[in-house]
Amino acid sequence: MTLYVIGTPIGNMEDISLRALRILGEVPLIAAEDTRKTRRLLTRFKLKTVITSYHEHNRGIKVGRLLEALETKDVALVSDAGTPGISDPGLELVRAAIDRGVSVVSIPGPSAVITALAASGMSADHFLFLGFLPRRKGERQGVLRSVSELPYTLVFFEAPHRLQRALADLHEILGDRPMAAVREATKLYEEVFRGTVSDALAHFEAPRGEFTLVIEGCS
C-alpha cells in the first residue's frame, strides 16, 4: 500500500493539481491536519473521500492507527495548507511509514516558501529555510545569530502577532538588510512588501494574516 503526501493550496483553491485531485478522489482515506479545510477543498471539487484527523495534538495515537490502515489500503496525507512534513506534524507519519516499509509517494503542490522566494526578487540559487522562529526572544535571537554570517537567502514563517518582535530582532541581529515580506500568499488580500527590515517595521504597524519573510544573506 502507499502513503501519498499531497501538496494542497496555501490559499487559492485553483492551485490544486490535477494529479492531486485524482488521488484524493481515488484513495479510501485522507489523513488531514485540519478536517474542516480539507472538507471544503473536497466539496469544491465534488469529492467524497473519507477524512480522519491527524494533527499535532493527536499524532501520538493516530500514527499507529494510520499505519494499521496502510496495511490494507492507500492513505493520502494533507496538511492544512501547502506540503505535509514542511513545518507540520506530517513528518512523523512519513518517517513511521518509511520505517514500516510502506511506499511513500510525494505529490508536489503549492509551497509558501517557493511562492515567496519567486516574488521576492532575491536570489534563490542558495537559500536556507528555518520554518517558524522561536517564540521566546532569547531563543529567537540565538537562531538569528547562528545564521547571521551565512551568505544564503533566509526564509522564515511568522504569525502576525509576533511579526513586530521578529522584525525588531532581525534588525538588531542581522542589521537593516533588504528583505521581502509576503502576506496572505495567493489569497484575496495578498501583499508583497519589498524594502529593508526597518521599512518593514514601519510598514506593518498592525499586521494581519500569515507572513513569509525573505531576508538577503550576509554579503
Side-chain angles (χ1 to χ4, degrees), residues 147-158:
V147 299
S148 62
E149 297 183 5
L150 298 179
Y152 317 121
T153 300
L154 305 174
V155 185
F156 306 96
F157 290 154
E158 195 50 271

Side-chain angles (χ1 to χ4, degrees), residues 9-87:
I10 57 178
N12 192 319
M13 286 193 183
E14 293 180 2
D15 292 334
I16 189 77
S17 75
L18 294 175
R19 185 183 179 200
L21 286 174
R22 176 177 61 79
I23 292 174
L24 288 172
E26 290 176 353
V27 296
L29 181 65
I30 298 171
E33 184 179 11
D34 187 328
T35 55
R36 293 167 301 178
K37 287 187 177 181
T38 301
R39 178 57 64 196
R40 286 198 293 270
L41 178 67
L42 297 187
T43 300
R44 168 73 178 270
F45 294 101
K46 297 181 173 60
L47 302 177
K48 298 181 179 180
T49 309
V50 175
I51 303 173
T52 186
S53 66
Y54 172 78
H55 50 70
E56 182 71 29
H57 305 292
N58 72 0
R59 61 182 178 177
I61 299 172
K62 280 299 186 75
V63 166
R65 294 179 181 176
L66 289 169
L67 289 176
E68 289 178 6
L70 282 161
E71 292 178 0
T72 58
K73 56 190 173 186
D74 296 336
V75 174
L77 172 65
V78 299
S79 66
D80 60 356
T83 301
I86 311 299
S87 290

Side-chain angles (χ1 to χ4, degrees), residues 5-205:
V5 182
I6 300 181
T8 54
I10 57 178
N12 192 319
M13 286 193 183
E14 293 180 2
D15 292 334
I16 189 77
S17 75
L18 294 175
R19 185 183 179 200
L21 286 174
R22 176 177 61 79
I23 292 174
L24 288 172
E26 290 176 353
V27 296
L29 181 65
I30 298 171
E33 184 179 11
D34 187 328
T35 55
R36 293 167 301 178
K37 287 187 177 181
T38 301
R39 178 57 64 196
R40 286 198 293 270
L41 178 67
L42 297 187
T43 300
R44 168 73 178 270
F45 294 101
K46 297 181 173 60
L47 302 177
K48 298 181 179 180
T49 309
V50 175
I51 303 173
T52 186
S53 66
Y54 172 78
H55 50 70
E56 182 71 29
H57 305 292
N58 72 0
R59 61 182 178 177
I61 299 172
K62 280 299 186 75
V63 166
R65 294 179 181 176
L66 289 169
L67 289 176
E68 289 178 6
L70 282 161
E71 292 178 0
T72 58
K73 56 190 173 186
D74 296 336
V75 174
L77 172 65
V78 299
S79 66
D80 60 356
T83 301
I86 311 299
S87 290
D88 82 7
L91 177 60
E92 187 171 336
L93 177 59
V94 170
R95 283 178 170 171
I98 291 171
D99 290 343
R100 188 68 68 89
V102 174
S103 172
V104 176
V105 175
S106 177
I107 310 301
S111 164
V113 176
I114 302 305
T115 299
L117 273 168
S120 71
M122 295 186 185
S123 173
D125 291 342
H126 304 282
F127 67 90
L128 181 61
F129 171 60
L130 292 167
F132 284 93
L133 288 170
R135 299 186 180 197
R136 295 182 178 179
K137 182 181 180 71
E139 294 176 5
R140 187 167 59 242
Q141 289 193 346
V143 169
L144 294 175
R145 287 192 184 95
S146 73
V147 299
S148 62
E149 297 183 5
L150 298 179
Y152 317 121
T153 300
L154 305 174
V155 185
F156 306 96
F157 290 154
E158 195 50 271
H161 61 282
R162 295 196 300 267
L163 182 68
Q164 279 281 322
R165 284 171 286 177
L167 288 172
D169 286 340
L170 284 165
H171 190 272
E172 179 180 343
I173 306 300
L174 303 184
D176 201 18
R177 298 186 187 182
M179 66 164 291
V182 180
R183 184 177 71 85
E184 295 289 89
T186 79
K187 300 177 184 177
L188 180 62
Y189 297 106
E190 178 182 55
E191 177 185 5
V192 181
F193 170 86
R194 303 177 187 89
T196 64
V197 178
S198 62
D199 292 335
L201 270 167
H203 180 75
F204 294 110
E205 290 183 342

